[in-house]
């Protein structure tokens, strides 16, 4: 029996050199093309594949093109408009969960990473089909194939046999394998972005002699900024553009073209891209609008543009973007259609909004904040923001990364990359869309708690160490600090001012932002008393009074900055009649230099907006703010980032006692009757598979059986009605607590059944459960977000859960640090630590529940919603009282490394 064609396994994947290859399962109609492919192999390659140069290739092509997609499976890699096969990989089942694998790659394309890609994709498919182990027979001289296996990240075993090597390895992709694949993806991203940011030549297609047009502005910028290479204007209606000979098409340019910037009407962009492909252009920046942002016709046009780029091995930024810039003196690339020139510096900036980016570049210049490179991603049809993070991580000219985001392409991949990049370079983001307009309707408590805000985005950023700001002003305020000063080693702030009022405002702002303003040490206060007049205040804030000189500023900053109880210094200056702001600015720079880069210094010049020139001194730069509140906000973000960065990396725990296969079978069986809520017995069994036993309970059908179950439990019990569609039992009066004996339970069951029958909820049974010891009521749950994947929630539980709305959120997979932070960030966390004399609760046991729930969510994407409410946190352990789970079919996972 042949399974349906697995279309979800098709993917465009980036190669090491930054180009793309299309990977898909083999089809019967590939027989002729497979014969051509195998016939094109060199004799050496055929011997390495078949152990002989004399083989019936027609029979091979016929056999490998006829697969059932389960026990026999094949993948091909194709290139070009004709989708020419350049590589083939296959497996054939051997029985007992084993399969033999084989690979062949066209000679001209060996060494590009295609073999590794096919191996990873083949292993994913095999693992999904129940094959746990791959085996391969390799000639001893086939070093290249052995290297593919060794570099894949799979734990391989090699056994020597006469004239051959026998290789075995599991099909499950390990953490090491994922890390190796991500490193390969990073190298591919670096290669792709270099074609954009370090081109040797640029063509502007649509360059115009009419000033004020997009094509004219970009061409002028490239010339005036001094691009270190030839710039070719392409305009069929002009012979010369700005004194440079023009060409009617890109194909008419005599020399090679690395980068093409396209500024023509949307209707002709696809044909222009075709010309670029024939010319051999590596990178396209499409400024033109009129694509996916305009509706169905535009989406179709964008899809065709991406198809053309794939066929010709080109990469694409845009469409509908502002352009790109690289301030490196070695290239001097300014291909943006803005009259503004981006200043050079150490901040990389990417924006999804072109218009906003123009204002941002202007604002950065006013702050004296320089850019290393800038990319306006527009519609992100090909090059995503994740590739930019991969590139900037190893860009020596970039120290801070700024992002303006309107949407995510692959948020889980973003999280993995950002966690790694953020360890060395801070990432600061403005993400629009904090409203609840797009929240999907959910029926569980967890869904109701998460559906009203973008808490999932906050959780992603928090776990990944990304600094989220609410406005562009805040974005650049944080960037000005982190680009010029070290992140503070703690939250203790010293404030130096010449006016008392702003100092008090600054102290209030610091404490409101979670910072501390401690009293200075006695030694520091003594030294300040010797320096300053008697009227000055030397506690903290240090008010030097209006007569303070520039030299007193310098010495006071040094003294406060060297206090062992201070981690950062905010300096405030309002110009009096005697002291000039230029002198104070120079004093601040000198004092900052004296702290040897161990503690940040921030300045607030309240006379006017803008950075005093003296603060831009080469070598040491001090960020300047118009008001103390903005400085406090920037410092608070930097302090939290430093805390995240300094924490040891916490791995995702691996549990050895999980019954994953049993759980998957249970979910599959439930889905067989359709999507919906699991029965109570199924919920109990599924949670048990993940080491999460519900408090002892019995599910019965009649009131008499409920009484018998209570008698068997032998203690006071809770009684709950089971009825289809009845979700919130407490509100419906379907729960009775602390019942004793068979008769009391039976009577309560009869009464509830009659009442609920009349209300339209006829009971299908009853749940009798042992009453738990007293504890702190919590809720733990899952909501499966279609974009972010499983979202784990933890909060104050019980019947008032949606009223209290004290919840924290994390994205799976959770680390132990993530689980701990989720619990400790709750407003009601003190209830778990011994509030007002109550005994402390077992917080570690609650962490364990979160981690096991995370494992369940990762393994079973069919879990659409899960509630455990209440979960009682006891003095020792936890008690899971009530739970419900809703399942629905899940989208097939995208192949590893797949592009949209």
């Amino acid at each position: 029996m042949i399974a349906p064609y697995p279309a979800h396994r098709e993917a465009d994947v980036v190669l090491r050199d930054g180009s793309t290859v299309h990977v898909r399962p083999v089809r019967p109609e590939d027989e002729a093309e497979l014969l051509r492919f195998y016939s094109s192999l060199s004799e050496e390659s055929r011997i390495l594949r078949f152990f002989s140069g004399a083989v019936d290739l027609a029979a091979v092509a016929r056999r490998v093109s006829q697969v059932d997609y389960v026990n026999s499976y094949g993948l091909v890699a194709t290139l070009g408009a004709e989708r020419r096969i350049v590589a083939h990989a296959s497996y054939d089942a051997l029985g007992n969960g084993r399969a033999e694998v084989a690979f062949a790659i066209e000679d001209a394309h060996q060494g590009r990473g295609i073999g590794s890609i096919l191996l990873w994709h083949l292993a994913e498919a095999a693992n999904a089909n129940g094959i746990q182990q791959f085996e391969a027979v390799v000639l001893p001289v086939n070093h290249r194939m052995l290297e593919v296996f060794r570099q894949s990240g799979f734990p391989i075993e090699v056994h020597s046999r006469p004239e051959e090597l026998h290789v075995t390895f599991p099909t499950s992709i390990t953490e090491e394998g994922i890390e190796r694949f991500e490193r390969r993806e990073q190298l591919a991203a670096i290669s792709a972005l270099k074609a954009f940011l370090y081109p040797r030549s640029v063509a502007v297609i649509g360059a115009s002699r009419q000033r004020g047009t997009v094509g004219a502005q970009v061409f002028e910028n490239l010339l005036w900024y001094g691009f270190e290479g030839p710039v070719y204007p392409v305009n069929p209606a002009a012979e010369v553009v700005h004194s440079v000979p023009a060409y009617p098409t890109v194909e008419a340019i005599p020399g090679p073209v690395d980068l093409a910037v396209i500024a023509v009407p949307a209707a002709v962009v696809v044909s222009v891209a075709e010309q670029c492909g024939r010319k051999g252009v590596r990178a396209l920046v499409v400024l033109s609008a009129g694509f996916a942002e305009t509706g169905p016709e535009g989406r179709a046009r964008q899809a065709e543009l991406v198809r053309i780029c794939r066929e010709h091995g080109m990469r694409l930024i845009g469409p509908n973007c502002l352009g790109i810039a690289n301030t490196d003196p070695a290239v001097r690339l300014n291909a943006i259609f803005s009259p503004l020139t981006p200043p050079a510096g150490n901040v990389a900036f990417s924006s999804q909004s072109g218009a906003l980016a123009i204002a941002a570049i202007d604002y950065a210049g006013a702050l004296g904040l320089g850019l290393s490179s800038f990319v306006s991603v527009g519609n992100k049809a090909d090059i995503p923001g994740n590739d930019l993070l991969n590139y900037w991580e190893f860009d020596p000219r970039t120290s801070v990364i700024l992002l303006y985001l309107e949407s995510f392409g692959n948020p889980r991949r973003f999280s993995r990359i950002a966690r790694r990049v953020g360890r060395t370079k801070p990432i600061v983001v403005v993400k629009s869309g904090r409203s609840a307009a797009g929240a999907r309707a959910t029926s569980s408590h967890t869904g109701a708690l998460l559906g009203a805000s973008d808490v999932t985005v906050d959780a992603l950023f928090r776990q990944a160490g990304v600094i989220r700001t609410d406005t562009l002003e805040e974005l650049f305020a944080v960037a000005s600090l982190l680009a010029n000063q070290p992140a503070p080693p703690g939250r203790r702030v010293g404030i130096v001012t010449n006016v008392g009022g702003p100092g008090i405002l600054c102290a209030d702002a610091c404490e409101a932002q979670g910072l501390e303003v401690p009293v200075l040490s006695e030694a520091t206060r003594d030294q300040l008393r010797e320096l300053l007049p008697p009227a000055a205040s030397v506690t903290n804030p240090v008010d030097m009074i209006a007569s303070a000189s520039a030299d007193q500023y310098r010495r006071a900053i040094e003294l406060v900055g060297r206090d062992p109880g201070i981690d950062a210094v905010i300096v405030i200056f309002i110009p009096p009649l005697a002291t000039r702001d230029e002198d104070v600015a120079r004093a601040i720079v000198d004092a900052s230099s004296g702290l040897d880069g161990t503690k940040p210094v921030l300045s607030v010049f309240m006379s006017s907006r803008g950075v005093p020139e003296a603060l831009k001194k080469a070598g040491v730069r001090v960020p300047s703010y118009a008001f103390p509140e903005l400085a406090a906000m920037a410092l608070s973000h930097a302090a939290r980032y430093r805390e995240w960065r300094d924490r040891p990396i916490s791995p995702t725990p691996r549990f050895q006692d999980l019954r994953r296969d049993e759980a998957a079978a249970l979910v599959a069986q439930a889905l067989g009757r359709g999507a919906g809520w699991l029965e109570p017995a199924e919920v109990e069994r599924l949670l048990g598979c993940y080491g999460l036993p519900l408090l002892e309970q019995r599910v019965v059908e009649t009131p008499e059986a409920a009484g018998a179950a209570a008698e068997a439990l032998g203690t006071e019990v809770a009684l709950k009605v089971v009825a289809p569609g009845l979700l919130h039992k407490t509100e419906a009066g379907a729960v009775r607590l602390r019942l004793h004996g068979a008769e009391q339970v039976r009577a309560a069951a009869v009464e509830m059944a009659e009442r609920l029958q009349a209300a339209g909820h006829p009971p299908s049974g009853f749940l009798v459960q042992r009453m738990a010891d007293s504890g702190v009521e919590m809720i733990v749950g899952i909501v499966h977000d279609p974009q972010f994947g499983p979202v784990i929630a933890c909060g104050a539980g019980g019947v008032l859960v949606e009223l209290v709305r004290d919840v924290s959120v994390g994205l799976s997979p959770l680390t132990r640090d993530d689980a701990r932070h989720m619990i400790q960030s709750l407003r009601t966390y003190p209830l778990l630590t011994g509030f007002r004399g109550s005994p402390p609760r077992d917080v570690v046991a609650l962490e364990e529940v979160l981690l096991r729930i995370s494992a369940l969510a990762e393994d079973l994407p069919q879990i659409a919603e899960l509630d455990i409410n209440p979960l009682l946190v006891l003095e020792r352990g936890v008690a899971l009282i009530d739970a419900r789970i809703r399942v629905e079919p899940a989208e097939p996972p995208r192949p590893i490394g797949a592009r949209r």
Side-chain angles (χ1 to χ4, degrees):
M1 181 177 177
I2 299 176
Y5 176 76
H8 66 280
R9 296 285 176 191
E10 294 195 12
D12 291 315
V13 185
V14 182
L15 301 177
R16 288 175 184 153
D17 61 3
S19 63
T20 59
V21 63
H22 186 70
V23 175
R24 63 168 174 81
V26 73
R27 296 189 287 251
E29 55 266 32
D30 291 326
E31 180 179 342
E33 175 60 13
L34 281 166
L35 176 58
R36 182 212 60 77
F37 161 70
Y38 275 111
S39 300
S40 71
L41 297 180
S42 66
E43 182 178 8
E44 179 187 8
S45 292
R46 285 202 299 272
I47 291 173
L48 294 177
R49 168 62 178 85
F50 300 109
F51 289 33
S52 170
V55 63
D56 186 348
L57 296 179
V60 169
R62 190 178 313 112
R63 178 179 61 81
V64 300
S65 62
Q66 305 297 321
V67 298
D68 64 14
Y69 301 116
V70 178
N71 294 309
S72 59
Y73 195 98
L75 291 171
V76 292
T78 66
L79 287 174
E82 68 282 6
R83 292 299 190 187
R84 183 170 56 88
I85 293 176
V86 297
H88 173 245
S90 63
Y91 76 70
D92 290 287
L94 300 172
N96 297 322
R98 299 154 47 243
E100 183 174 2
V101 292
F103 299 80
I105 300 167
E106 196 172 271
D107 293 70
H109 295 283
Q110 293 178 8
R112 299 182 66 195
I114 296 177
S116 297
I117 289 170
L118 291 178
L119 175 57
W120 279 314
H121 284 233
L122 198 65
E124 273 193 322
N127 194 259
N129 288 332
I131 292 171
Q132 290 91 38
Q133 180 173 291
F134 271 166
E135 301 181 8
V137 180
V138 182
L139 286 174
V141 295
N142 196 351
H143 304 297
R144 203 171 272 212
M145 193 70 249
L146 288 169
E147 188 65 14
V148 168
F149 289 138
R150 292 191 185 281
Q151 294 300 317
S152 65
F154 292 98
I156 72 167
E157 294 183 8
V158 181
H159 302 281
S160 298
R161 295 178 179 177
E163 304 294 331
E164 64 185 31
L165 299 174
H166 190 253
V167 182
T168 61
F169 53 93
T171 58
S172 56
I173 298 177
T174 63
E175 287 294 328
E176 181 187 359
I178 293 173
E179 289 174 4
R180 286 179 184 249
F181 190 89
E182 289 178 345
R183 284 198 295 271
R184 191 205 65 82
E185 276 197 319
Q186 185 168 36
L187 293 175
I190 291 171
S191 295
L193 267 300
K194 279 190 174 179
F196 288 96
L197 296 175
Y198 285 90
R200 293 164 298 181
S201 56
V202 181
V204 180
I205 304 173
S208 174
R209 292 184 295 186
Q210 182 179 350
R211 294 188 181 276
T213 62
V214 172
Q217 187 67 66
V218 172
F219 188 68
E220 290 174 13
N221 286 347
L222 284 163
L223 294 179
W224 294 345
Y225 197 60
F227 174 67
E228 296 288 338
V231 182
Y232 302 110
V234 176
N235 186 334
E239 294 185 359
V240 174
V241 176
H242 296 308
S243 303
V244 179
Y247 300 89
T249 67
V250 68
E251 293 177 278
I253 296 173
V257 176
D258 287 341
L259 171 66
V261 181
I262 300 177
V264 299
V268 296
V269 166
V270 170
S271 63
V272 167
E274 282 270 22
Q275 297 169 18
C276 291
R278 293 194 295 267
K279 175 65 177 175
V281 176
R282 290 190 61 199
L284 300 184
V285 175
V286 178
L287 309 179
S288 315
F291 289 86
E293 78 281 3
T294 62
E297 183 180 348
R299 284 194 292 272
R301 185 181 296 122
Q302 183 167 303
E304 180 65 7
L305 173 61
V306 172
R307 185 187 68 80
I308 295 299
C309 290
R310 295 283 192 265
E311 289 179 352
H312 292 281
M314 297 183 293
R315 302 305 304 274
L316 167 69
I317 287 178
N320 185 34
C321 72
L322 178 71
I324 61 176
N326 183 1
T327 62
D328 189 338
V331 61
R332 298 191 63 80
L333 176 75
N334 182 6
I336 58 178
F337 65 87
S338 165
L340 303 172
T341 300
N346 63 341
V347 176
F349 180 36
S350 169
S351 175
Q352 211 168 332
S353 165
L356 183 146
I358 294 175
I361 291 173
D362 185 30
Y363 187 61
L367 293 176
L369 191 65
L371 302 181
S372 57
S373 53
F374 164 77
V375 177
S376 169
V377 294
N379 291 0
K380 299 193 292 186
D382 178 27
I383 295 286
N386 292 337
D387 280 4
L388 294 172
L389 292 181
N390 272 326
Y391 173 81
W392 283 325
E393 180 181 9
F394 286 101
D395 177 23
R397 300 183 63 252
T398 295
S399 301
V400 179
I401 299 169
L402 306 185
L403 304 174
Y404 171 76
L405 300 177
E406 294 175 352
S407 64
F408 287 101
N410 187 336
R412 287 169 71 84
R413 183 167 174 253
F414 173 90
S415 177
R416 291 196 306 271
I417 295 171
R419 281 181 190 246
R420 187 190 70 238
V421 175
R423 293 287 169 179
T424 55
K425 297 181 180 181
I427 302 169
V428 193
V429 171
V430 169
K431 168 68 173 68
S432 59
R434 281 191 180 270
S435 71
R440 70 183 181 94
T442 55
S443 51
S444 68
H445 289 301
T446 303
L449 289 171
L450 303 189
S453 70
D454 66 342
V455 290
T456 51
V457 177
D458 280 335
L460 183 152
F461 289 154
R462 184 187 67 249
Q463 290 175 224
V466 173
I467 301 169
R468 182 178 190 175
T469 62
D470 291 325
T471 66
L472 283 173
E473 183 180 41
E474 291 181 6
L475 178 85
F476 283 102
V478 176
S480 295
L481 170 56
L482 293 174
N484 296 307
Q485 294 283 313
R491 298 192 175 205
R492 301 166 301 178
V493 184
I495 301 170
V496 177
T497 178
N498 66 342
V499 180
I504 296 171
L505 287 175
C506 186
D508 290 345
C510 285
E511 295 197 348
Q513 292 285 348
L515 301 172
E516 303 169 22
V517 184
V519 174
L520 299 174
S521 69
E522 187 62 40
T524 301
R525 283 180 286 162
D526 287 345
Q527 291 173 302
L528 287 170
R529 290 188 187 99
E530 294 178 5
L531 171 68
L532 301 174
S537 171
V538 296
T539 52
N540 193 16
V542 176
D543 180 5
M544 301 187 297
I545 70 174
S547 61
S549 66
D551 186 61
Q552 286 175 319
Y553 259 101
R554 178 185 60 78
R555 294 172 64 192
I557 295 167
E558 290 176 346
L559 289 172
V560 174
R562 288 173 181 158
D563 188 302
I566 294 298
D567 300 307
V569 182
I570 296 178
V571 184
I572 303 171
F573 177 72
I574 295 181
L577 296 176
T579 308
R580 300 187 309 162
D581 58 356
E582 294 91 345
D583 296 334
V584 173
R586 279 192 291 270
I588 294 173
V589 170
D590 291 343
S592 177
S593 301
L595 297 179
D596 300 323
T598 57
K599 299 177 183 180
V601 175
L602 299 78
S603 67
V604 177
F605 280 75
M606 297 183 68
S607 57
S608 63
R609 186 171 292 272
V611 181
E613 285 300 316
L615 294 181
K616 303 176 184 178
K617 177 180 178 181
V620 177
R621 298 169 67 94
V622 176
S624 182
Y625 304 93
F627 297 103
E629 293 84 354
L630 199 57
M633 179 279 306
L635 187 59
S636 174
H637 278 301
R640 288 195 294 271
Y641 164 72
R642 173 72 179 265
E643 290 169 359
W644 173 87
R645 191 187 69 187
D646 288 350
R647 286 202 303 263
I649 297 175
S650 175
T652 302
R654 297 180 179 181
F655 298 103
Q656 304 300 318
D657 61 341
L658 308 186
R659 306 195 304 275
R660 289 187 163 95
D661 292 341
E662 180 182 340
L666 188 155
V667 170
Q669 186 177 15
L671 286 172
R673 63 175 184 264
W677 295 94
L678 298 186
E679 297 294 333
E682 293 173 320
V683 171
E684 182 179 18
R685 184 177 156 206
L686 181 57
L687 291 175
C689 289
Y690 282 82
L692 298 166
L694 286 170
L695 193 65
E696 187 178 3
Q697 63 183 34
R698 304 280 194 276
V699 179
V700 297
E701 295 183 356
T702 66
E704 291 72 18
E711 197 72 30
L713 289 173
T715 182
E716 66 176 1
V717 298
L719 177 67
K720 306 173 187 179
V721 173
V722 179
L726 183 62
L727 297 178
H728 302 298
K729 296 183 179 68
T730 300
E731 291 89 328
V735 178
R736 293 288 180 83
L737 302 177
R738 303 196 179 283
L739 301 177
H740 294 269
E743 182 54 33
Q744 192 176 14
V745 170
R746 188 199 64 77
V750 169
E751 186 276 326
M752 287 194 293
E754 292 175 349
R755 180 164 39 79
L756 289 170
Q757 179 82 32
H761 292 293
S764 60
F766 301 89
L767 189 148
V768 184
Q769 187 176 51
R770 182 188 301 276
M771 287 296 299
D773 296 334
S774 62
V776 176
E777 290 189 337
M778 304 292 291
I779 181 173
V780 171
I782 300 170
V783 169
H784 193 95
D785 186 283
Q787 189 178 25
F788 290 81
V791 181
I792 313 299
C794 175
V799 295
L800 300 179
V801 57
E802 290 175 37
L803 177 64
V804 177
R805 302 193 70 83
D806 181 22
V807 64
S808 62
V809 169
L811 303 185
S812 71
L814 296 179
T815 67
R816 195 164 291 278
D817 276 347
D818 294 333
R820 186 178 300 116
H821 184 276
M822 286 176 64
I823 297 168
Q824 292 178 353
S825 65
L826 294 170
R827 297 192 309 274
T828 50
Y829 175 65
L831 295 177
L832 297 171
T833 59
F835 184 68
R836 289 192 171 183
S838 63
R841 307 296 171 166
D842 195 342
V843 175
V844 173
L846 179 57
E847 290 176 11
E848 185 81 0
V849 171
L850 287 174
L851 295 172
R852 288 178 177 271
I853 285 291
S854 173
L856 184 153
E858 282 290 293
D859 291 343
L860 300 171
Q862 301 85 0
I863 303 296
E865 295 181 70
L866 178 150
D867 267 353
I868 302 174
N869 181 38
L871 179 151
L872 293 182
V873 186
L874 311 174
E875 292 182 51
R876 294 191 62 181
V878 296
L880 282 62
I881 306 302
D882 197 8
R884 53 196 176 141
I885 299 173
R886 184 172 66 85
V887 295
E888 62 183 24
E891 289 291 323
R894 287 191 292 181
I896 187 169
R899 299 279 152 162
R900 289 169 297 174

